[in-house]
Amino acid sequence: MELRFSEAERAFRQEVRDFIAKELPKETRERMLAGKSPTKQMVVDWQRKLNARGWAVPEWPREWGGPDWTLGMRYIFREELQMAPAPQPLAFNTNMCGPVIAEFGTEEQKKRFLPRMANLDDWWCQGFSEPGAGSDLAGLKTRAVKQGDHYIVNGQKTWTTLAQHADWIFLLVRTDPNAKKQEGISFLLCDMKTPGITVRPIITIEGGHEVNEVFFDDVKVPVENLVGEENKGWDCAKFLLGNERFGQARVGASRERIRRLKAIASTESMDGGRPLMEDPDFARKVTEIEVELKALEMTVMRVIATESKRKDKKPDPATSVLKIKGTEIQQMCSELLMKAAGPYAWVDGDPEAEGSNDIDVAPDWAFGLAGVYFNWRKQSIYGGSNEIQRNIMAKAFLGL
Amino acid sequence: MDFDLTEEQRLLQDSVARLLTDKYGFEQRKAYMKSAEGWSRDIWAQYAELGLLGLPFAEDEGGFGGSHVETMLVAEQLGKALALEPWIPTVVIGGGFLRHGAEAGLRAELVPQIAGGELMLAFAHTERQSRYDLNDVATAAKKDGSGWVISGRKGMVIHGDSAGKLVVTARTAGGQRDAKGIGVFLVDASHSGVNRRGYRTVDGQRAAEVELSNVPAEAVLGNPEDGLALVDQVVDETIVALAAEAVGCMQVAHDMTIDYMKTRKQFDRPIGSFQALQHRAADMLVQLEQARSMSYFAAMGVEERDPLERRKNMASVKVQIGRSARFVGQQSIQLHGGIAMTMEYAVGHYFKRLTVNDAMFGDADYWVRYLANAGGLVTAA
Ligand SMILES: Cc1cc2nc3c(=O)[nH]c(=O)nc-3n(C[C@H](O)[C@H](O)[C@H](O)COP(=O)(O)OP(=O)(O)OC[C@H]3O[C@@H](n4cnc5c(N)ncnc54)[C@H](O)[C@@H]3O)c2cc1C
Ligand SMILES: Cc1cc2nc3c(=O)[nH]c(=O)nc-3n(C[C@H](O)[C@H](O)[C@H](O)COP(=O)(O)OP(=O)(O)OC[C@H]3O[C@@H](n4cnc5c(N)ncnc54)[C@H](O)[C@@H]3O)c2cc1C
């Protein structure tokens, strides 16, 4: 039993840290420190730097540019990005669609799409959810009918994150309406500039524009953009959803938030003339989160250690803990940060605005903290809601 | 990172598990509990045979040379069986004081007796007023020639009634709550100045109230003027065992609950088919896995050299284990319904053990307060 990272992995951590310190633009870091999403340009520039270093696609096979890291190194890499904080390589490209194409795609598809995905020459978005198909994803209705060498796509996707930036969308569509739910679904790649596609913003509760509705009206998708076999798209979907088993824990992101929280609550906020961290009630809440995060970090290590050895692709029971605890902890961090700001958390600024503080009322550090709290309620909803996670645990691990 | 056990560790774990499966069924345990001493000498002898009683001592002193990982493995198995023997007081606590505080000559004399199963130890520390504060010691040690004489009252001395020797904390200087001026002494429990009153605790263990009147110390463990650091070290190491024991208890309580949910029918179906209960069971699993992770962390975090950092690590272990134990324990009762309320059904005994385990050396609330005051685990940015 060796519960620590290896010497080589610790050296790798330093290498990543040094690279980030040298290469991450100050504006990107500051915007993210303030709890805002990086702009499109920031994400693109950063991913190109990572790609030039050979670090943009940790999960990909070596022949398509993957760096052949151990799971421990992948974890360290993500954790360092989160703690910086720096943008992650765009998940839709590097964690979702890329690995599906690498696993199920044709040689032509790999050559055509993978290098551009890695370099973020194309921004991809995920067209899975529909108004009638959320948790029950296989209930999706968007239709694709083959006509000659095209599929004609009609229907609606929703909650499509950052579709407003996207050049391409990967879609789950129904190709056989008569088959059983999961068996009539196909996985298609679609150029967002194709006629018949309409993108409409959905504004989330904090005022941000991160999700969209995407409408398909007789959209022609060439048949060569089918990934895997027709009606076998559910295999791609399952592969995609099962891919990032420890990514959802986001231990580094929570640690970064707690550091920030403690800095703010130790200096800036004053209750009865004393820093908020000296309030036993508040300090205790922070401490409880720190303990849960430590336990989660160890759980992640366990998952990494067992996954690297596992021959079958069955996840460790501990993996189920990651999504539930990881999101609960992040949500709690965002709530405590908001509380630390007191009344100045209430300023309703524009989360899209450049700079950190477009309405110069609240101190910079307090600005937008309530917005992040509101926005982060999403974490227990998407990626398989926490209730769905409990269903999976009850069925797959407990046999209930 | 590697969570795999070595061949020897696996053998150790398996042999303990085999012994307890054979000899520690629910009915057998009940019989041990009802016996005069409240635990089994026969089992104790078998622990000795398996090497469990010499586990943490150096091999050249007659021990097994086990690390904290071995302690964790054994304690988890003992937890699964709700074993009643004085293993933690003798081997982990008493053994810890001998390893860190005794001179080689004393160890050479005592370790073989412990490893052979002839000598049991107990830690006489808690006093009526002290609750969980390790520095709160009123019992007094007075210099007497070249030695020390001890007088005072100690309470809730776990397995104090069967111990051959007591590890006693006593004040050599300063006020009752001063960190400095605490000494740790080894005392012959059969000395005429030692008055012991044994009783059973709610979880089926034994404990004693111990009165000491002018009892000469057989040995001083560590620095008699400044022994709190030694106490801290040993308590921190004991937390490794307590955490693992709790994980063993939680694992069984959880497994029993899941099994019961599959067989118990109400409304013409297994109660495990009700989603409200499925989600509760999933939450129990989350708590169990988080606890298991912290039990591993305990074995690692106790090796931290800086005493404050080590203490903070172990505080975080107590917090997570205590929180998880409470949830898993309470829910294993709730999900069983009325049957779990009976003395005849095992799950309630796990709940009781978990409840006491949490409170040993301070419950989760105590340690969260401590950790908050000590600045937590994450440094501010
Ligand atoms: C900010 C945001 C970004 C997103 N980005 C994308 C994206 O880029 N691409 C994409 O395809 N999708 C995206 N999604 C969609 C996301 O995957 C869905 O929201 C999610 O699958 C839940 O579906 P739903 O919102 O329709 O809720 P529903 O499925 O209607 O669920 C409503 C409630 O019922 C519960 N529930 C549902 N079924 C069960 C059950 N069987 N047992 C117990 N409880 C149940 C849920 O947990 C939830 O609490 C995004 C969502 C959000 C909020
Ligand atoms: C101390 C004590 C005193 C009692 N005194 C009396 C008395 O004087 N007279 C008398 O007649 N009875 C008495 N009872 C019995 C008591 O009413 C039952 O224990 C109670 O009805 C629950 O039944 P059960 O124990 O069989 O549990 P079960 O019904 O088997 O339930 C087991 C678990 O499943 C859950 N569950 C069951 N059905 C569902 C469902 N549909 N959906 C979700 N969850 C479900 C329960 O909440 C519980 O957590 C007593 C019980 C106790 C413990």
Side-chain angles (χ1 to χ4, degrees):
Chain A
M1 214 180 228
E2 173 49 60
L3 309 177
R4 269 161 277 238
F5 285 115
S6 70
E7 198 70 52
E9 284 167 331
R10 286 202 294 271
F12 174 71
R13 185 187 287 282
Q14 194 54 50
E15 192 186 342
V16 174
R17 203 170 279 182
D18 292 344
F19 178 83
I20 295 173
K22 187 153 162 276
E23 299 292 339
L24 181 68
K26 190 161 156 276
E27 310 77 64
T28 307
R29 179 169 181 273
E30 275 173 5
R31 190 177 162 94
M32 291 186 72
L33 261 185
K36 291 184 172 195
S37 304
T39 64
K40 177 178 185 181
Q41 201 53 50
M42 287 173 177
V43 175
V44 171
D45 290 345
W46 179 240
Q47 184 157 333
R48 288 188 183 155
K49 275 189 185 167
L50 291 177
N51 198 37
R53 186 75 178 72
W55 288 356
V57 287
E59 279 78 24
W60 291 15
R62 176 159 217 130
E63 60 165 322
W64 295 106
D68 235 355
W69 285 339
T70 61
L71 282 173
M73 288 164 84
R74 291 186 201 176
Y75 172 78
I76 288 168
F77 177 66
R78 298 222 171 259
E79 189 178 57
E80 287 300 322
L81 291 180
Q82 287 163 9
M83 283 196 300
Q88 302 274 331
L90 188 67
F92 304 112
N93 289 32
T94 64
N95 291 66
M96 297 185 183
C97 196
V100 167
I101 291 179
E103 176 83 12
F104 299 93
T106 62
E107 271 316 292
E108 290 78 71
Q109 286 171 339
K110 292 178 194 174
K111 285 200 189 106
R112 178 174 169 206
F113 294 113
L114 292 182
R116 293 181 58 82
M117 264 185 183
N119 203 44
L120 202 39
D121 295 330
D122 297 322
W123 185 297
W124 286 76
C125 65
Q126 178 189 25
F128 280 18
S129 303
E130 298 180 5
S135 300
D136 187 12
L137 182 58
L140 60 92
K141 292 205 173 60
T142 296
R143 277 283 275 142
V145 179
K146 200 161 166 182
Q147 270 179 21
D149 51 7
H150 283 85
Y151 287 99
I152 309 298
V153 178
N154 279 288
Q156 182 197 341
K157 294 294 173 181
T158 191
W159 307 121
T160 321
T161 296
L162 301 181
Q164 72 268 33
H165 299 335
D167 306 296
W168 284 80
I169 185 168
F170 55 94
L171 290 170
L172 289 180
V173 292
R174 190 156 298 285
T175 36
D176 182 354
N178 301 317
K180 278 209 316 212
K181 252 180 166 181
Q182 283 87 348
E183 285 164 17
I185 292 172
S186 299
F187 194 101
L188 287 185
L189 310 176
C190 176
D191 188 335
M192 288 294 280
K193 289 184 291 297
T194 322
I197 297 182
T198 314
V199 177
R200 278 198 209 139
I202 298 173
I203 303 303
T204 40
I205 46 178
E206 83 292 357
H209 174 200
E210 81 180 55
V211 286
N212 303 271
E213 296 177 292
V214 184
F215 297 88
F216 294 83
D217 185 11
D218 284 334
V219 173
K220 286 172 79 180
V221 177
V223 287
E224 68 256 27
N225 289 3
L226 171 75
V227 180
E229 287 174 49
E230 193 176 270
N231 298 326
K232 289 274 196 288
W234 194 246
D235 292 342
C236 300
K238 274 194 304 190
F239 175 81
L240 183 153
L241 298 170
N243 237 331
E244 251 289 76
R245 284 184 189 146
F246 56 88
Q248 292 173 323
R250 289 175 45 89
V251 171
S254 290
R255 187 170 309 118
E256 187 275 319
R257 290 285 86 186
I258 292 172
R259 279 183 178 175
R260 179 137 179 93
L261 169 65
K262 289 176 90 165
I264 289 171
S266 309
T267 52
E268 309 253 8
S269 305
M270 309 288 269
D271 270 17
R274 305 296 312 158
L276 190 53
M277 267 323 272
E278 290 180 18
D279 168 25
D281 266 356
F282 192 82
R284 179 188 175 119
K285 282 183 187 146
V286 177
T287 305
E288 280 174 342
I289 291 296
E290 291 177 60
V291 171
E292 292 212 51
L293 186 64
K294 175 51 81 181
L296 184 69
E297 186 185 355
M298 292 305 294
T299 307
V300 173
M301 304 296 170
R302 290 171 55 202
V303 172
I304 291 174
T306 47
E307 295 252 320
S308 2
K309 296 218 176 79
R310 219 163 262 251
K311 298 280 176 297
D312 60 2
K313 292 253 161 129
K314 274 204 191 145
D316 187 289
T319 54
S320 339
V321 178
L322 304 185
K323 167 80 199 314
I324 294 178
K325 266 296 155 204
T327 54
E328 283 176 0
I329 290 170
Q330 289 174 74
Q331 290 178 333
M332 194 64 196
C333 289
S334 70
E335 190 172 350
L336 291 177
L337 266 158
M338 172 185 71
K339 280 170 175 285
Y344 277 107
W346 305 340
V347 180
D348 191 11
D350 176 4
E352 302 295 319
E354 295 291 335
S356 64
N357 193 352
D358 67 321
I359 306 171
D360 197 9
V361 176
D364 273 355
W365 61 263
F367 187 77
L369 288 177
V372 177
Y373 163 65
F374 296 139
N375 180 271
W376 279 17
R377 304 316 297 172
K378 71 189 175 188
Q379 291 177 332
S380 48
I381 298 171
Y382 64 25
S385 78
N386 287 15
E387 289 75 30
I388 297 299
Q389 299 297 329
R390 289 181 174 91
N391 289 349
I392 293 170
M393 287 169 77
K395 297 224 156 44
F397 303 131
L398 304 177
L400 293 171
Chain B
M1 261 165 334
D2 185 1
F3 291 78
D4 286 354
L5 303 180
T6 64
E7 192 56 33
E8 283 109 52
Q9 288 169 340
R10 196 177 302 285
L11 276 170
L12 174 70
Q13 188 183 43
D14 290 352
S15 60
V16 183
R18 214 172 313 116
L19 170 68
L20 296 172
T21 311
D22 280 0
K23 295 284 171 72
Y24 241 101
F26 186 61
E27 293 304 321
Q28 290 160 306
R29 176 179 185 268
K30 218 160 40 181
Y32 305 149
M33 196 157 45
K34 283 208 181 110
S35 71
E37 273 187 313
W39 50 277
S40 164
R41 290 262 171 186
D42 175 41
I43 298 280
W44 191 248
Q46 300 192 47
Y47 290 169
E49 245 166 68
L50 288 180
L52 308 190
L53 302 184
L55 190 71
F57 301 107
E59 279 166 281
D60 58 11
E61 292 181 343
F64 191 83
S67 71
H68 298 296
V69 174
E70 277 80 14
T71 300
M72 173 182 89
L73 295 173
V74 172
E76 184 181 344
Q77 296 304 320
L78 296 176
K80 280 182 159 179
L82 292 176
L84 298 161
E85 288 68 33
W87 187 76
I88 289 182
T90 301
V91 177
V92 182
I93 307 180
F97 278 110
L98 291 180
R99 284 188 300 121
H100 300 301
E103 286 173 1
L106 184 63
R107 279 207 302 273
E109 182 195 339
L110 296 186
V111 170
Q113 294 179 38
I114 293 170
E118 297 117 53
L119 176 63
M120 273 78 69
L121 302 174
F123 183 34
H125 172 70
T126 302
E127 299 177 4
R128 179 68 185 83
Q129 81 290 345
S130 64
R131 265 176 81 87
Y132 304 132
D133 286 340
L134 293 173
N135 57 304
D136 189 332
V137 175
T139 296
K142 290 209 168 55
K143 198 96 198 177
D144 178 36
S146 63
W148 297 85
V149 173
I150 302 165
S151 296
R153 296 176 76 103
K154 295 288 184 178
M156 199 47 74
V157 179
I158 302 293
H159 284 292
D161 53 349
S162 58
K165 293 186 192 299
L166 302 172
V167 176
V168 182
T169 51
R171 192 154 282 292
T172 54
Q176 183 189 313
R177 302 181 54 80
D178 287 354
K180 276 233 161 24
I182 294 171
V184 184
F185 303 93
L186 195 66
V187 160
D188 177 3
S190 61
H191 188 273
S192 60
V194 177
N195 185 14
R196 289 186 282 178
R197 199 154 49 85
Y199 50 90
R200 201 158 75 187
T201 56
V202 288
D203 58 333
Q205 295 195 91
R206 298 291 304 181
E209 298 300 290
V210 179
E211 213 175 318
L212 304 124
S213 338
N214 292 315
V215 183
E218 288 190 334
V220 180
L221 302 170
N223 179 350
E225 264 90 39
D226 199 7
L228 187 59
L230 173 62
V231 175
D232 282 338
Q233 164 97 38
V234 172
V235 167
D236 284 351
E237 292 182 4
T238 305
I239 290 171
V240 178
L242 290 173
E245 181 193 63
V247 168
C249 292
M250 279 186 248
Q251 181 75 60
V252 176
H254 180 70
D255 291 351
M256 286 186 74
T257 305
I258 302 302
D259 286 346
Y260 189 76
M261 287 169 72
K262 288 175 185 167
T263 49
R264 170 69 171 171
K265 284 197 175 135
Q266 288 289 281
F267 304 98
D268 304 317
R269 0 180 218 162
I271 57 170
S273 65
F274 301 125
Q275 195 182 47
L277 302 193
Q278 290 179 351
H279 283 199
R280 200 81 56 79
D283 287 335
M284 286 170 73
L285 183 58
V286 169
Q287 290 299 328
L288 168 60
E289 293 300 339
Q290 289 284 85
R292 186 178 292 286
S293 291
M294 277 317 244
S295 169
Y296 292 150
F297 177 64
M300 180 174 107
V302 77
E303 287 181 11
E304 166 67 50
R305 270 173 226 272
D306 175 32
L308 176 63
E309 288 305 311
R310 186 194 68 220
R311 175 48 54 96
K312 291 202 310 190
N313 287 345
M314 304 323 280
S316 72
V317 170
K318 282 292 283 176
V319 173
Q320 180 66 53
I321 296 286
R323 294 272 193 271
S324 287
R326 174 176 178 272
F327 186 81
V328 173
Q330 291 183 350
Q331 294 308 324
S332 65
I333 304 286
Q334 177 63 24
L335 266 49
H336 273 89
I339 184 80
M341 292 300 299
T342 64
M343 196 62 98
E344 284 303 304
Y345 196 81
V347 84
H349 296 268
Y350 285 92
F351 175 48
K352 291 193 286 184
R353 181 79 197 111
L354 284 168
T355 304
V356 172
N357 177 289
D358 169 41
M360 298 222 14
F361 296 114
D363 61 13
D365 291 338
Y366 177 86
W367 285 111
V368 84
R369 215 157 42 230
Y370 165 85
L371 193 52
N373 283 333
L377 297 171
V378 178
T379 43

